[in-house]
Amino acid sequence: MIDVLVVDDDFRVAEINAKYVGKVPGFRVAARAHSAAQALAAVNRGTIDLVLLDHYLPDQTGLELVHRMREQGLGTDVIMITAASDVTTVQRAMRLGALHYLVKPFTFAALRTRLDSYAALRRTVDRVGGRGLTGQEQVDRIFGALRTSPAPSAPGLPSGQSEPTTDLICGVLHRADHPLSAHEVAAETGLSRSTAQRYLRHLEQAGRLRLSLKYGDTGRPEHRYAWVAP
């Protein structure tokens, strides 16, 4: 498991981010911090693999915290999650070694993409390091593991829809033990209801999902979707 420290001065935002992390296989929230001092203390305990770091903290900025960590020889990995989107802050984050930079507000899918690429990076480093390999090819593998460019729509997908999002929705439905509504799928994936509905409609038309109707006492029936085993 990859142990994550969630750092945000807003308790509510920290809780939401922690719940997002908990949904990603292979990751767990080891601690939360709401100030730079709390975060530094948590990292110094030596159990944190990755810090999800806000820039705007009450005692000092997130990047000042990263600078202090590096001065103390703490090489803990950092992904910035912040509303700060000015070029100066982004450049400084890169120079201090932040692996990713995610601008608020963001979706669960966006965070999951960064976490998945981070997990891929760790696997790549372990694999390359375990073989004692060196050279440009191995270096390219390590740097390539961090790429998170949006995947183009796969053949057969409508314009604007991507394969990673399709896979995310399919995974939720595949694991479900009962049909789910668009609202439930949106809650599980972090997507908006309208986005989830577009993907679900296409998947149902493609024969990958089965549509059923749930009738209530009043109003229109609720559309519910179930995974169709291949």
Side-chain angles (χ1 to χ4, degrees), residues 53-183:
L53 181 61
D54 188 18
H55 183 56
Y56 298 117
L57 300 173
D59 45 353
Q60 62 181 169
T61 68
L63 292 185
E64 287 171 342
L65 170 60
V66 178
H67 183 68
R68 287 181 62 190
M69 288 168 54
R70 302 309 182 229
E71 283 187 328
Q72 296 180 22
L74 298 169
T76 308
D77 294 322
V78 174
I79 293 178
M80 298 297 299
I81 297 183
T82 177
S85 58
D86 59 282
V87 174
T88 300
T89 302
V90 174
Q91 286 182 330
R92 191 175 176 214
M94 293 172 61
R95 289 165 182 161
L96 287 171
L99 297 178
H100 282 301
Y101 198 107
L102 189 57
V103 178
K104 297 177 180 178
F106 58 90
T107 64
F108 167 66
L111 177 60
R112 176 166 187 165
T113 297
R114 273 70 178 179
L115 294 180
D116 284 344
S117 73
Y118 174 72
L121 171 65
R122 288 173 62 98
R123 290 193 300 269
T124 302
V125 170
D126 289 343
R127 184 165 60 250
V128 171
R131 296 174 181 174
L133 300 176
T134 60
Q136 188 62 54
E137 182 181 354
Q138 286 69 43
V139 172
D140 289 344
R141 288 181 187 176
I142 293 172
F143 276 85
L146 280 174
R147 293 174 187 160
T148 59
S149 300
S153 295
L157 286 178
S159 176
Q161 293 192 14
S162 69
E163 193 65 24
T165 303
T166 299
D167 290 343
L168 179 63
I169 291 175
C170 288
V172 167
L173 287 160
H174 187 259
R175 292 188 298 270
D177 58 3
H178 61 277
L180 300 178
S181 66
H183 177 77

